[in-house]
Amino acid sequence: MEGVHAISTLMTVNEQVNTALRSASKEDMRQQLSSFEVITAYVRNIEMSHEGTKVYLFVDDEYMIAQDRSTRYRAISALQGMAWSPSLLNGMGHPQWIYTESLLEKGQKNLTQMRALMDHNDYTQTLGALAVSLDEAQVQGVLDNAITEQFMAICTEDGAVLISNGADKPPMDKLPVRSHQDAFSPLPLGGAEYYLAARELSDSGLYLVSVLPRSLMNQEVSVVRNRVLVSYLAIFLLMALILLPMTSRLVRRIRQLGRQLAEVPTQGLKKLQPAVQQDEIGQLISAYNTMVDEMERMLTTQYDLGRAKAGAELKALQSQINPHFLYNTLDMVSWMAKKQETDKIQQVMVALSQFYKLTLSGGRDIITLEEELRLCDAYMRIQQLRWEGAIDYMVEADDELLHARLPKITLQPLIENAIKHGIMQRGEARGSIIISAALEEEKEGRWMTLSVLDNGVGMENSEEQLQKGGGGHYGMKNIEQRLALFYDTEIHIQVDSESGLGTCVSLTLPVIEDEEAQKQ
């Protein structure tokens, strides 16, 4: 339809066509034929570029060319008697669509756009009429492409049907095209319900009308809905095939990271396998591994600082023991000097020098149990000289523990307490001390129990006495603090005592082998 309207407009405004029609009335036959040949050549070019359309001109009956119905030129008198002829010729060139039979070609029906050709020099004069037609078969072919039961038609503005397909026409003479333009809307007819939509064809005054029974509309909606559902299902399956492997890999890597983080409280930090893909998860794994490296470095640094601090504290506590023992020994030597026991003083000084030689131990704060027992032996020789053999001394140590490591001067303060607060409190000031070292094998590891047993006066409520502290128990607290620093765990001294029978002070310590003994 748009093509027909475009041809009609081109012919109407073409100055060459207008001049040929205007001058033909003043020319002889030969000149007329020459003028119309110009028009014919122009029209032929147009028809060749718009397949299926034909152009006819209705001209003055006086023109000889108008007498031959085999050409594209017709006598304008042929339009007389047509109902639409007055509105056409008086319409000042406005287009008008008509549906005619045998007007242009005998026995043929045509959908034609007609318009008067006005003189460009004087628009009150009509030079003829133009007809641009579409063959009915061509229009019919377009309408017949409709779906089954769909009524398709070309209608006039008042709803009269010009051409339609073979579907059943709704039971009404004229269709309400004006009230159902552009979109389908309900149209109740004779107890049945239809949907009608009409659209004007390029300001032609003709309407392309489509009428669908509601049942067909519902059926088509169902078909479209099913197709949409199938399409969505296909898209979903395709997306699932594409996304599931991808999401599975992502979820697996995230879960691996989650499991690793969940194990941190129980198993500590562990590095993950480096990521191959540097996506967001890969960057997260790389950042996690970097964090683990940094935390391990910080923990190592913290551990080293802690060990250094513990060592410093151990030395500080050790320095508290040494002056304490030296004070007690010098006090003893002072009493011997008052008694003028020069031989004993010499022996004490020799034993004291041996004691401090072992105490210094090359600057080491940690010695073997064997060295600690030798330290205690030197101390006991000093005490036996002081108390003139009133104290018996015995050592019972498992040979497997001789290379076990512990802070030096661990047992000596316990022996000192046993003498001062136990044996010396007896009326006869005599007694015995037994030092023992026993090995215990358990699932958790190897342990050694060190004990200092005396048969002194003992004490009631030993735990209560230990908590009260005091000068006699100063060394025991010092020992607990030093052992806790060395073994990195809380160590408690166990005191078992019974009044009048004696006291047993014991320590249970982890067995840490001497490094040189392990090499042997």
Side-chain angles (χ1 to χ4, degrees), residues 190-363:
E193 189 171 354
Y194 295 84
Y195 284 88
L196 185 146
R199 186 172 184 179
E200 187 176 6
L201 300 173
S202 303
D203 297 325
S204 63
L206 296 180
Y207 290 83
L208 178 63
V209 179
S210 175
V211 181
L212 288 170
R214 180 174 181 177
S215 59
L216 181 61
M217 178 71 79
N218 293 339
Q219 180 181 349
E220 290 300 314
V221 169
S222 298
V223 170
V224 172
R225 180 188 61 212
N226 293 338
R227 288 178 179 174
V228 170
L229 290 176
V230 170
S231 299
Y232 276 127
L233 180 60
I235 293 173
F236 174 79
L237 292 176
L238 180 61
M239 294 298 291
L241 291 175
I242 296 174
L243 293 178
L244 278 179
M246 185 185 304
T247 55
S248 297
R249 288 194 297 269
L250 290 176
V251 170
R252 183 171 62 253
R253 294 162 70 196
I254 292 174
R255 287 178 176 173
Q256 180 187 8
L257 182 59
R259 286 194 300 268
Q260 194 76 31
L261 293 175
E263 292 174 356
V264 169
T266 57
Q267 300 183 16
L269 291 172
K270 294 180 181 179
K271 294 178 66 174
L272 296 175
Q273 182 177 358
V276 177
Q277 298 174 331
Q278 286 303 314
D279 53 6
E280 287 78 2
I281 304 300
Q283 293 174 6
L284 185 61
I285 292 175
S286 298
Y288 173 80
N289 288 339
T290 302
M291 180 192 71
V292 172
D293 290 337
E294 184 64 19
M295 291 192 69
E296 288 179 349
R297 186 190 65 79
M298 293 175 63
L299 289 173
T300 301
T301 303
Q302 187 68 24
Y303 176 78
D304 293 340
L305 292 174
R307 295 299 297 176
K309 178 182 178 183
E313 293 178 352
L314 188 60
K315 288 181 180 295
L317 291 171
Q318 185 68 53
S319 66
Q320 295 174 6
I321 286 291
N322 287 338
H324 181 69
F325 166 69
L326 181 61
Y327 168 79
N328 291 337
T329 303
L330 293 177
D331 182 63
M332 179 184 70
V333 172
S334 175
W335 282 102
M336 288 181 176
K338 288 179 180 180
K339 295 179 181 180
Q340 297 182 351
E341 298 174 338
T342 55
D343 292 339
K344 289 184 178 180
I345 291 174
Q346 181 182 7
Q347 295 177 34
V348 168
M349 297 308 296
V350 170
L352 183 63
S353 66
Q354 292 176 345
F355 177 85
Y356 270 100
K357 182 178 180 180
L358 292 170
T359 300
L360 293 173
S361 59

Side-chain angles (χ1 to χ4, degrees), residues 73-138:
Y73 300 97
R74 301 285 188 272
I76 198 167
S77 59
L79 302 180
Q80 294 179 359
M82 302 292 181
W84 41 266
S85 179
S87 61
L88 171 67
L89 298 177
N90 299 322
M92 297 295 292
H94 292 292
Q96 182 174 338
W97 284 91
I98 60 172
Y99 182 65
T100 62
E101 183 178 359
S102 301
L103 174 64
L104 304 176
E105 297 290 342
K106 189 174 182 181
Q108 288 188 2
K109 294 181 179 180
N110 303 92
L111 183 62
T112 306
Q113 187 181 82
M114 302 285 296
R115 66 197 308 171
L117 295 174
M118 310 305 294
D119 188 345
H120 291 181
N121 295 333
D122 184 2
Y123 278 93
T124 62
Q125 299 296 319
T126 301
L127 299 178
L130 172 68
V132 183
S133 70
L134 283 172
D135 186 67
E136 181 187 33
Q138 186 178 8

Side-chain angles (χ1 to χ4, degrees), residues 442-453:
E442 297 182 3
K443 292 182 179 180
E444 295 79 6
R446 305 174 75 213
W447 300 81
M448 62 178 176
T449 300
L450 306 180
S451 301
V452 176
L453 175 65

Side-chain angles (χ1 to χ4, degrees), residues 423-458:
I423 295 174
M424 291 299 105
Q425 300 301 318
R426 292 171 62 109
E428 65 274 20
R430 298 188 65 86
S432 61
I433 295 176
I434 300 175
I435 299 176
S436 64
L439 175 64
E440 298 180 8
E441 300 278 356
E442 297 182 3
K443 292 182 179 180
E444 295 79 6
R446 305 174 75 213
W447 300 81
M448 62 178 176
T449 300
L450 306 180
S451 301
V452 176
L453 175 65
D454 69 77
N455 60 350
V457 295

